[in-house]
Amino acid sequence: MSVSVTVQHGFGGFNLDAAFEAPAGITVLFGRSGSGKTTIINAVAGLLRPDAGRIAIDDWVLLDRAAGVSLPVHRRRLGYIFQDARLFPHLNVRQNLLFGRFFAPRDAPRADMGRVVEMLGIGPLLGRRPAMLSGGERQRVAIGRALLASPRLILADEPLAALDEGRKAEILPYFERLRDEVAVPILYVSHAPAEVARLATTVVALEDGRVTGQGPAIQILGDPNVMPTGVRDAGALLQAVVVRHHDDGLSELSAGGVALFLPRVPHAPGGQLRLRIAASEVILSRARPEGLSALNILPGVVEAIRDGDGPGAIVSLNTPAGRVLARLTRRSVAAMALAVGAECHAIVKTVAIAPENVS
Amino acid sequence: MSVSVTVQHGFGGFNLDAAFEAPAGITVLFGRSGSGKTTIINAVAGLLRPDAGRIAIDDWVLLDRAAGVSLPVHRRRLGYIFQDARLFPHLNVRQNLLFGRFFAPRDAPRADMGRVVEMLGIGPLLGRRPAMLSGGERQRVAIGRALLASPRLILADEPLAALDEGRKAEILPYFERLRDEVAVPILYVSHAPAEVARLATTVVALEDGRVTGQGPAIQILGDPNVMPTGVRDAGALLQAVVVRHHDDGLSELSAGGVALFLPRVPHAPGGQLRLRIAASEVILSRARPEGLSALNILPGVVEAIRDGDGPGAIVSLNTPAGRVLARLTRRSVAAMALAVGAECHAIVKTVAIAPENVS
Amino acid sequence: EQARLTVFAAASMKNAMDEIAAGYEAETGNAVDVSLAGSSALARQIQQGARADIFISANTDWMDRLEAGGQIDGDSRVDLLGNAIVLVAASGAAPVEIAPGMDLAALLNGGRLAMALVDAVPAGIYGKAALQSLGEWDSVAPMVAQADNVRAALALVATGAAPMGIVYATDAVAEDDVHVIGTFPEDSHPPIIYPAARVAGSDNPLDAGFLAYLQGAAARAAFERQGFVVLAQE
Amino acid sequence: MGGWLTPDILPPEAWRAVALSLKVSLWAVLVSLPLGIFTAYALARWRFPGRGLVNGLVHLPLILPPVVTGYILLLSMGPQGPIGGPLARIGVVFAFHWSGAALAAGIMAFPLMVRAIRLSIEAVDPKLEQAAATLGAPRLWVFASVTLPMILPGVIAGAILAFAKAMGEFGATITFVSNIPGQTQTLPSAIYAFLQVPGGEGAAVSLVVISVAVAMGALLLSEGIGRRVARRVAGA
Amino acid sequence: MGGWLTPDILPPEAWRAVALSLKVSLWAVLVSLPLGIFTAYALARWRFPGRGLVNGLVHLPLILPPVVTGYILLLSMGPQGPIGGPLARIGVVFAFHWSGAALAAGIMAFPLMVRAIRLSIEAVDPKLEQAAATLGAPRLWVFASVTLPMILPGVIAGAILAFAKAMGEFGATITFVSNIPGQTQTLPSAIYAFLQVPGGEGAAVSLVVISVAVAMGALLLSEGIGRRVARRVAGA
Ligand SMILES: Nc1ncnc2c1ncn2[C@@H]1O[C@H](COP(=O)(O)OP(=O)(O)OP(=O)(O)O)[C@@H](O)[C@H]1O
Ligand SMILES: Nc1ncnc2c1ncn2[C@@H]1O[C@H](COP(=O)(O)OP(=O)(O)OP(=O)(O)O)[C@@H](O)[C@H]1O
Ligand SMILES: [Mg+2]
Ligand SMILES: [Mg+2]
């Protein structure tokens, strides 16, 4: 299932002109405050009628201004998690959660209420009204309400921004499951690079109403030219397979033949997973390092060196596991005499990857 | 100036019973969603009348339930940045920003409107009404509105949660200036460890309405037992002085005689600053490492080793620069034969510190 | 400055009073303000100290009440006008003879008899008295639809809501949709009298003159044009 | 002995007037409420040709002296009127019938009801209705499950205002359906009648006291309900 | 020749009645507006002893037949009344004066005004008022700078309702201040007088048309203003 979106809309000072394809999985809209993310999502939801545009899920056309088609909001089968929770103040949490279920077709696949409630940790709140909830609790209920509506398309506008790290860590896997198992397309707005790296199948980078880059997460996140929030968030994604789980709580993975050690991952041996390695967490060494606490060492060849705005540079290393980015100071680049073609080793701490950069 | 807070309040299912001292600077309330942070802030603001408690800024008593004292909200001279922006919908951005100024005493120190507007990047929005703003823009205006009210006490409830990293990086220094120069006490709620580390003078850790730890940031953040969001966010704070700025964009600092290199900091040579070094970003080596891209190497002696829940352990190292925490796998601890009293080196990348963990 | 006089008069006298006020002003140069409302309202206002000069009531009860309370000058009181009550029906209906045994209930043929409030408004009170003396009241009473004033009763007939109604002769004068099918004998009800008097609190020097004018020839002509019987002797 | 407040000086038809007024007012409110909500919604949320006209028509009974409204009703809804005639032939009779009194009271009270409800509708945040739509609720359901519960305080306020107005309505009612004891003689008609004759004040005062007591009871009740509902809607 | 709609068949006092009605209604609305806002605010936001009583009193003119209200006014505010007497001695005269007509109209319209404003106040999110307070605004300022602008649509709605009601008010006015041309004869009183005599219908209809035109004009105007204000308040 793939969502194709083309929208043009003008708001006085701001002009949106975006077109992108969101293939199955999670498509993250990534961009600074005011870049047009919510506007796009609203157009997809039907809450905003763009000046021009076409929105379709596969062959199912939600909007086609040129053809005069615009499906009413309630027929779009959405689960919209709003940036402001927008709970119904006159209904209690349970009633809020069940609101959408009532309108879902009888045969639609249903999320399990108990499971969602447990995951979101809102069991004790079911009888309360929204005015009696904390900010994070409200947001969690809003997430549950959208998930329980048996949507065919999920729109999530910074769903986790108000939550603490612990709670995020509990909810993220649920979105991953949606992505991997349920195959509901998800348009997801987020400002947090770790979240993006972990969830995104596809990334659409927005700047000032325009798409500055789009493509598989692995590609966009590894491209320091595209990442709209700057070079500091660059990082590479590696594809790896689980080899075995060790008794000391570590899992051994293989990425293109290189052994990597991570804190226990939930996947069974043989399972595929994806690792994000932030460029700022990679240390390079010309010689193979010994006696370090870091367990993961990837040999490679320098593929490119790109200087940043400040004192830093991004070194892109070709390793058997795939491309790895490292952020160094230019001073280090010089001291180590790094140049394209030079051999060197990337050192990554086990704990620097796990668990939120794994998926 | 120091704020002392004691509040007890019951909300049906939830009981708050918290007491803490907030000395000059930024006191961060840190705790999971629903732990009572907003409730405390509301009590300080006078929006909630707690069942019992006393709140005072030095000798200035805002609330004393036992003595029957409760200063009306508008006399508390607050700058409250709400978790939900709460802009006035009938006023445009400029009018929202200037609302508080009107009521501030003529002789109160005034934040510079132009500077605040520029920092928040809301210049082009001044004529708009809140309904025409994006979520992040609304939150930025709310920050400006509070700052411009010439407050004697700032309450900030997740002020940056809705903002992208770039924007956060622009606003954080302003809070630092408030902390360091203006000496307005600030109660600050945040879920983001990096933000906490950077801003907090004092940290108050909350769990389920109870204070589980409080004290200088340097101490609480370095104590993996207290950090309510778990061991992954542990890290140490070091005190350092600027030695000189190099041409290649790096600044050389000295922390207890150890030379550290960071991307250029704004402080003049001789200036004091504080560095947060996240435990997960420190690599240990028994031998002095050579040929690495990492520029910062701190020699030290193992002071303590604490095993975590998972496969990790926290190693606490006594260095000339202060205590440094490192998060390793237990496997590495064993492989390196680390034990209390063992000598080893902490390796920290330059770019892993800068700039948001510096202050 | 023009001298002014305030007259409180029953609302049913509007047409005549407009003409008389204009004539009086033309003749004497003095202005007359006529306040038209129900007699009860006007009487109560006078009781409460309204600065009226002359009061003309549509019945004697309220005038008696004011006289007993000393709010009017009893010596100035005159019975100014008389009126008759008539039976009206939609145009085209045959005249009936109004006499005992007329069997009004049968004539109504299941319809309603429109009257003013039979215990409260003068026209209704007179009508009820007349029907009682004719021996018709008991059979007709359940069919009576009472309006708050005579004009409303007339409207019920004019719009066809009620086939017949009892109103003043003066009311039937100019109504096209309604015509008189019988007049109640004078002796079937207490005399219908519109008394006029000077209000006790008035010190307006024009009072006596206007009371006299009301009984003069010009006024008489105006009253008669509206169907009133002029009782006062010059 | 019996003072002026005790029932024994009030003739039985006065008590019938009390009962009738209650019946008339309740019916007037209950029957007009759905139409009132619909009209208020249409005026608040829809743009359609003739919106101004509808708005004007709704307010008309407020502007016109009640007697005029009564006349207009009599002309149009009377047995020979353009609306009343055909209705009468299918057996729906308003003339001289308590239902006519209810009609008159309902029409006189309608502008008050519509205004109150409309103000509440205008205060509902459309974002909540949008949220309901995204969850799959068709328009009518959005109204029933989100808008209506949120405007309940306004609906209740409108209903009370209308009830109070209906209890006090006099001019249009007596002009349209006149005053037939037990059928169309409402409390205000009875009070009016007592006030027309010298010495009728005592009975009028008794009836006024009854009427005030009834309406105040309704008022207090509805305030209580309204407050509870408002608290529920505000979610506190 | 002049049809029934043209002014030439209307006697000059009819035009005086139109002018007077406008004056009376405007004054009634303008003078009662601040009190109406205050009362609505008190009823919406404060809990005080006697709140129920105040609420009942405000609604009383709606419940009572207008004649009764007029009669009560006559008894209390008349030149010999317990309030009117002392007031008259200090030169404030309501009885049989246009100001009395304004008083009667204002009182009759008061419940409508208060309800509309009160509903708007109840719809204002107290969180915004709290936000204003945290910024240092004292209570009265919070009201003036936050609450009042946000309830403007309701205030306008209340004022129109009251104006329309005042334009149509008849029973209480004629009972209290009588029907003296040029002094207390308002439009509805003039219409009443015309309706009391044969042949007066034409003039009455003309006056009704004028009255409807004026009130509709006010209505349309205020709808326009109200909509603009509402849009401004909603911030769109
Ligand atoms: N009015 C209320 N009535 C009942 N319970 C309430 C009320 N307000 C808050 N609570 C409860 O009190 C607890 C603390 O709420 P508070 O808003 O202080 O949390 P918080 O720490 O700010 O959380 P978050 O990070 O999610 O905003 C929560 O469990 C919440 O459900
Ligand atoms: N109704 C409106 N009228 C005018 N401008 C608007 C309106 N709504 C949004 N905008 C502007 O359009 C731009 C994009 O807004 P949008 O809400 O899509 O941003 P966003 O990417 O979601 O930002 P954020 O991360 O801050 O929520 C912003 O500059 C905003 O000010
Ligand atoms: Mg947004
Ligand atoms: Mg909170």
Side-chain angles (χ1 to χ4, degrees):
Chain A
M1 236 181 313
S2 151
V3 185
S4 83
V5 176
T6 318
V7 278
Q8 274 144 43
H9 193 72
F11 272 137
F14 175 80
N15 283 301
L16 178 71
D17 184 357
F20 60 90
E21 281 290 322
I26 297 182
T27 299
V28 169
L29 299 179
F30 199 76
R32 298 197 61 164
S33 169
S35 58
K37 305 178 295 296
T38 301
T39 307
I40 289 177
I41 295 235
N42 279 341
V44 174
L47 299 181
L48 175 104
R49 180 184 290 255
D51 296 339
R54 184 174 185 285
I55 296 165
I57 303 180
D58 291 340
D59 299 336
W60 184 37
V61 177
L62 302 183
L63 176 89
D64 189 339
R65 287 305 307 261
V69 176
S70 176
L71 218 59
V73 181
H74 70 274
R75 301 254 297 283
R76 298 193 181 195
R77 305 278 318 278
L78 307 164
Y80 189 162
I81 304 161
F82 293 90
Q83 197 168 3
D84 48 339
R86 290 202 203 172
L87 299 182
F88 302 121
H90 60 294
L91 301 180
N92 67 22
V93 169
R94 184 194 307 281
Q95 291 162 333
N96 266 285
L97 288 173
L98 292 176
F99 192 93
R101 170 156 296 190
F102 196 76
F103 303 103
R106 297 282 146 256
D107 57 346
R110 307 199 143 201
D112 178 44
M113 167 98 172
R115 191 162 147 21
V116 168
V117 164
E118 196 201 341
M119 165 189 80
L120 296 167
I122 51 180
L125 312 177
L126 289 177
R128 290 213 207 140
R129 285 177 193 285
M132 299 163 80
L133 301 180
S134 80
E137 287 164 350
R138 257 195 289 275
Q139 194 57 25
R140 284 183 269 157
V141 175
I143 294 171
R145 184 177 69 172
L147 298 181
L148 289 170
S150 311
R152 287 180 58 178
L153 171 63
I154 290 178
L155 306 170
D157 199 349
E158 301 189 46
L160 308 182
L163 302 183
D164 55 285
E165 303 291 322
R167 188 59 72 188
K168 269 186 206 172
E170 283 163 45
I171 299 177
L172 276 173
Y174 195 88
F175 278 101
E176 290 171 329
R177 275 209 338 137
L178 282 175
R179 175 190 69 194
D180 299 332
E181 298 169 20
V182 190
V184 181
I186 300 176
L187 283 185
Y188 194 102
V189 172
S190 175
H191 287 307
E195 214 171 296
V196 177
R198 177 157 178 195
L199 291 177
T201 317
T202 308
V203 172
V204 175
L206 281 173
E207 214 175 304
D208 212 12
R210 246 151 278 270
V211 175
T212 55
Q214 61 174 309
I218 235 165
Q219 179 185 318
I220 298 289
L221 295 180
D223 182 349
N225 290 329
V226 170
M227 281 304 287
T229 55
V231 82
R232 302 202 73 253
D233 297 320
L237 290 175
L238 301 183
Q239 202 66 40
V241 59
V242 178
V243 176
R244 81 175 67 89
H245 300 299
H246 292 267
D247 289 344
D248 59 2
L250 295 185
S251 297
E252 184 180 339
L253 282 74
S254 164
V258 182
L260 295 174
F261 290 87
L262 261 70
R264 170 88 87 208
V265 295
H267 309 61
Q272 293 277 338
L273 75 169
R274 199 162 61 149
L275 311 176
R276 174 176 193 254
I277 300 180
S280 62
E281 297 193 339
V282 175
I283 291 180
L284 295 185
S285 168
R286 294 301 297 257
R288 183 167 181 93
E290 303 291 337
L292 286 188
S293 62
L295 295 173
N296 302 309
I297 295 168
L298 296 112
V301 175
V302 175
E303 196 182 48
I305 299 178
R306 207 174 338 219
D307 285 353
D309 292 337
I314 295 271
V315 176
S316 154
L317 212 64
N318 204 350
T319 77
R323 191 209 291 162
V324 170
L325 299 183
R327 228 184 129 228
L328 313 180
T329 55
R330 290 213 286 270
R331 169 176 300 206
S332 296
V333 171
M336 295 170 72
L338 287 179
V340 173
E343 297 205 345
C344 71
H345 297 80
I347 307 168
V348 187
K349 293 191 60 173
T350 293
V351 293
I353 317 183
E356 73 192 19
N357 294 338
V358 181
S359 74
Chain B
M1 236 183 307
S2 151
V3 186
S4 82
V5 176
T6 318
V7 278
Q8 274 143 43
H9 194 72
F11 272 137
F14 175 79
N15 283 300
L16 177 72
D17 184 356
F20 59 88
E21 280 291 322
I26 296 181
T27 299
V28 169
L29 298 179
F30 198 76
R32 299 198 61 163
S33 168
S35 57
K37 306 179 296 294
T38 302
T39 308
I40 290 176
I41 296 233
N42 279 342
V44 174
L47 299 181
L48 175 104
R49 180 183 291 253
D51 297 338
R54 186 174 185 283
I55 296 165
I57 303 179
D58 292 342
D59 298 338
W60 186 38
V61 177
L62 300 183
L63 175 89
D64 189 339
R65 286 305 305 261
V69 176
S70 176
L71 218 58
V73 181
H74 71 273
R75 300 255 297 282
R76 297 192 182 196
R77 306 276 318 277
L78 308 165
Y80 189 162
I81 303 162
F82 293 91
Q83 197 168 2
D84 48 339
R86 289 201 203 174
L87 300 182
F88 302 120
H90 60 295
L91 301 180
N92 66 22
V93 169
R94 184 194 308 279
Q95 291 162 332
N96 265 285
L97 288 173
L98 291 176
F99 192 93
R101 171 158 294 189
F102 195 78
F103 303 104
R106 299 280 147 257
D107 56 345
R110 306 202 143 198
D112 178 44
M113 167 99 172
R115 190 159 148 24
V116 168
V117 164
E118 194 201 341
M119 164 187 81
L120 297 166
I122 52 180
L125 313 176
L126 289 178
R128 290 215 208 138
R129 287 175 193 284
M132 300 163 81
L133 301 180
S134 80
E137 287 164 351
R138 257 196 287 275
Q139 194 57 25
R140 284 182 268 156
V141 175
I143 295 171
R145 184 177 69 172
L147 298 181
L148 290 169
S150 310
R152 287 182 57 177
L153 170 64
I154 290 178
L155 305 170
D157 199 348
E158 302 188 45
L160 308 183
L163 302 184
D164 55 284
E165 304 293 321
R167 188 59 71 188
K168 268 185 206 173
E170 282 164 45
I171 298 177
L172 275 171
Y174 195 89
F175 278 102
E176 291 172 331
R177 273 210 340 138
L178 281 175
R179 175 190 69 194
D180 299 333
E181 296 169 20
V182 190
V184 181
I186 300 175
L187 283 186
Y188 193 103
V189 173
S190 175
H191 288 307
E195 213 172 295
V196 177
R198 177 156 177 196
L199 291 177
T201 318
T202 308
V203 172
V204 175
L206 280 173
E207 215 175 302
D208 211 13
R210 245 149 279 270
V211 175
T212 54
Q214 62 175 308
I218 240 167
Q219 178 185 318
I220 299 288
L221 294 180
D223 182 349
N225 291 329
V226 171
M227 281 305 285
T229 57
V231 83
R232 302 202 73 252
D233 297 320
L237 289 175
L238 301 182
Q239 203 64 41
V241 60
V242 177
V243 175
R244 80 176 64 92
H245 299 300
H246 293 268
D247 289 343
D248 58 3
L250 295 184
S251 296
E252 182 181 338
L253 283 76
S254 164
V258 181
L260 297 175
F261 291 87
L262 260 68
R264 169 88 88 207
V265 296
H267 310 62
Q272 292 278 336
L273 75 170
R274 199 161 61 148
L275 312 177
R276 174 175 190 255
I277 300 180
S280 63
E281 297 193 340
V282 175
I283 292 181
L284 297 185
S285 169
R286 294 300 299 255
R288 181 161 185 100
E290 302 293 337
L292 286 189
S293 62
L295 293 174
N296 302 308
I297 294 170
L298 297 110
V301 175
V302 175
E303 198 180 47
I305 300 179
R306 207 172 340 217
D307 285 354
D309 292 335
I314 294 272
V315 176
S316 154
L317 212 65
N318 205 350
T319 77
R323 191 208 289 161
V324 170
L325 300 183
R327 227 182 130 227
L328 314 182
T329 55
R330 292 213 286 269
R331 169 177 301 209
S332 295
V333 171
M336 295 171 70
L338 286 178
V340 172
E343 296 206 344
C344 72
H345 296 79
I347 307 166
V348 188
K349 293 189 61 170
T350 293
V351 292
I353 317 182
E356 74 191 16
N357 295 336
V358 181
S359 74
Chain C
E1 163 105 358
Q2 196 178 24
R4 302 194 82 87
L5 188 72
T6 303
V7 177
F8 277 19
S12 54
M13 301 173 67
K14 174 175 167 56
N15 286 350
M17 288 308 294
D18 283 351
E19 204 178 323
I20 289 165
Y24 179 76
E25 187 168 348
E27 193 177 309
T28 65
N30 301 318
V32 181
D33 293 319
V34 185
S35 178
L36 298 156
S39 301
S40 60
L42 296 172
R44 281 218 178 76
Q45 287 163 358
I46 289 168
Q47 280 180 330
Q48 292 301 319
R51 279 169 306 165
D53 299 312
I54 305 287
F55 177 43
I56 311 175
S57 171
N59 66 0
T60 50
D61 289 358
W62 280 107
M63 194 61 96
D64 294 345
R65 179 51 86 93
L66 292 186
E67 187 167 359
Q71 283 111 356
I72 59 152
D73 171 8
D75 296 340
S76 67
R77 174 169 171 171
V78 287
D79 285 347
L80 189 62
L81 301 174
N83 206 341
I85 50 172
V86 297
L87 188 64
V88 293
S91 11
V96 298
E97 193 201 339
I98 295 187
M102 64 185 285
D103 201 0
L104 188 53
L107 290 173
L108 285 168
N109 192 21
R112 294 279 175 179
L113 178 66
M115 295 176 70
L117 289 166
V118 296
D119 295 317
V121 174
I125 296 171
Y126 295 131
K128 177 179 174 183
L131 290 176
Q132 276 171 333
S133 76
L134 295 170
E136 295 286 322
W137 176 248
D138 290 339
S139 59
V140 166
M143 300 174 167
V144 172
Q146 308 175 46
D148 59 327
N149 60 62
V150 201
R151 300 295 304 174
L154 190 67
L156 291 174
V157 180
T159 58
M164 292 181 192
I166 298 176
V167 300
Y168 285 126
T170 49
D171 288 308
V173 167
E175 189 62 64
D176 294 338
D177 298 333
V178 168
H179 79 150
V180 178
I181 57 171
T183 301
F184 285 86
E186 240 177 86
D187 57 2
S188 66
H189 53 81
I192 302 173
I193 290 170
Y194 289 58
R198 193 180 70 82
V199 175
S202 165
D203 49 6
N204 195 317
L206 302 176
D207 281 349
F210 188 74
L211 270 179
Y213 185 84
L214 279 176
Q215 298 165 57
R220 169 184 290 263
F223 284 133
E224 283 175 348
R225 258 195 296 285
Q226 297 299 325
F228 287 103
V229 177
V230 179
L231 302 176
Q233 304 300 315
E234 237 172 309
Chain D
M1 41 159 276
W4 57 269
L5 263 177
T6 53
D8 53 322
I9 75 152
L10 282 179
E13 82 244 36
W15 290 106
R16 273 189 284 159
V18 172
L20 185 73
S21 261
L22 280 174
K23 174 162 128 183
V24 161
S25 305
L26 278 174
W27 274 92
V29 171
L30 291 181
V31 171
S32 60
L33 198 54
L35 185 64
I37 294 174
F38 177 80
T39 311
Y41 192 85
L43 288 174
R45 288 286 164 86
W46 298 340
R47 298 285 161 266
F48 53 93
R51 189 171 159 280
L53 190 72
V54 171
N55 192 29
L57 269 180
V58 165
H59 281 83
L60 209 52
L62 203 66
I63 299 158
L64 294 178
V67 178
V68 174
T69 307
Y71 265 119
I72 294 174
L73 278 176
L74 188 58
L75 285 172
S76 57
M77 308 289 291
Q80 289 169 15
I83 308 174
L87 279 180
R89 273 192 290 284
I90 60 165
V92 181
V93 177
F94 288 116
F96 307 124
H97 194 258
W98 70 264
S99 58
L103 178 68
I107 286 178
M108 292 298 288
F110 202 60
L112 313 187
M113 179 187 278
V114 169
R115 257 302 163 175
I117 299 175
R118 181 174 162 188
L119 273 174
S120 302
I121 293 175
E122 282 168 348
V124 171
D125 188 351
K127 289 188 170 179
L128 289 175
E129 296 173 321
Q130 289 178 355
T134 64
L135 290 164
R139 232 206 247 194
L140 214 65
W141 266 104
V142 173
F143 179 79
S145 60
V146 176
T147 320
L148 192 57
M150 302 207 43
I151 63 171
L152 261 192
V155 171
I156 292 172
I160 311 159
L161 270 184
F163 180 79
K165 172 73 196 169
M167 285 293 291
E169 213 307 297
F170 161 63
T173 308
I174 199 168
T175 308
F176 179 34
V177 292
S178 89
N179 178 336
I180 302 167
Q183 292 182 60
T184 61
Q185 185 178 57
T186 58
L187 256 178
S189 307
I191 293 171
Y192 177 80
F194 280 120
L195 283 180
Q196 293 310 302
V197 287
E201 291 87 354
V205 167
S206 306
L207 287 182
V208 164
V209 169
I210 293 171
S211 138
V212 168
V214 168
M216 289 295 149
L219 200 69
L220 284 181
L221 187 76
S222 62
E223 284 280 327
I225 300 174
R227 200 147 352 115
R228 192 142 350 115
V229 168
R231 215 177 308 126
R232 202 163 61 80
V233 170
Chain E
M1 43 159 270
W4 57 270
L5 266 178
T6 53
D8 54 320
I9 76 152
L10 281 180
E13 84 243 36
W15 290 109
R16 274 190 284 161
V18 173
L20 186 74
S21 257
L22 281 174
K23 172 161 130 182
V24 161
S25 304
L26 278 175
W27 274 91
V29 171
L30 291 181
V31 172
S32 60
L33 198 55
L35 185 65
I37 294 175
F38 177 81
T39 310
Y41 191 86
L43 288 175
R45 287 286 164 86
W46 298 340
R47 298 286 161 266
F48 53 93
R51 189 171 160 280
L53 190 72
V54 171
N55 191 30
L57 270 180
V58 165
H59 281 82
L60 209 52
L62 205 64
I63 299 158
L64 294 179
V67 177
V68 174
T69 307
Y71 188 35
I72 293 172
L73 279 175
L74 183 62
L75 288 177
S76 57
M77 308 288 291
Q80 294 165 13
I83 308 174
L87 279 181
R89 272 191 291 282
I90 60 165
V92 180
V93 176
F94 288 114
F96 311 112
H97 190 259
W98 70 265
S99 59
L103 178 68
I107 286 179
M108 293 299 288
F110 202 60
L112 313 188
M113 179 186 279
V114 169
R115 257 301 163 177
I117 299 175
R118 181 174 161 188
L119 274 174
S120 303
I121 293 176
E122 283 168 349
V124 171
D125 188 350
K127 288 187 172 180
L128 289 174
E129 297 172 323
Q130 289 177 355
T134 65
L135 291 164
R139 233 206 246 194
L140 214 64
W141 267 105
V142 172
F143 179 78
S145 58
V146 176
T147 320
L148 192 58
M150 303 211 38
I151 64 171
L152 259 193
V155 170
I156 291 171
I160 311 159
L161 269 184
F163 180 78
K165 171 75 195 169
M167 285 294 292
E169 213 308 295
F170 160 62
T173 308
I174 199 171
T175 308
F176 178 31
V177 293
S178 193
N179 185 2
I180 306 167
Q183 295 180 59
T184 61
Q185 186 175 63
T186 58
L187 253 178
S189 306
I191 292 171
Y192 164 82
F194 279 116
L195 284 178
Q196 290 309 300
V197 290
E201 290 85 356
V205 169
S206 307
L207 287 181
V208 165
V209 169
I210 293 172
S211 136
V212 169
V214 169
M216 288 294 149
L219 201 66
L220 284 181
L221 186 76
S222 61
E223 284 281 326
I225 301 174
R227 202 147 351 117
R228 192 145 348 117
V229 168
R231 216 174 310 123
R232 203 164 59 82
V233 169

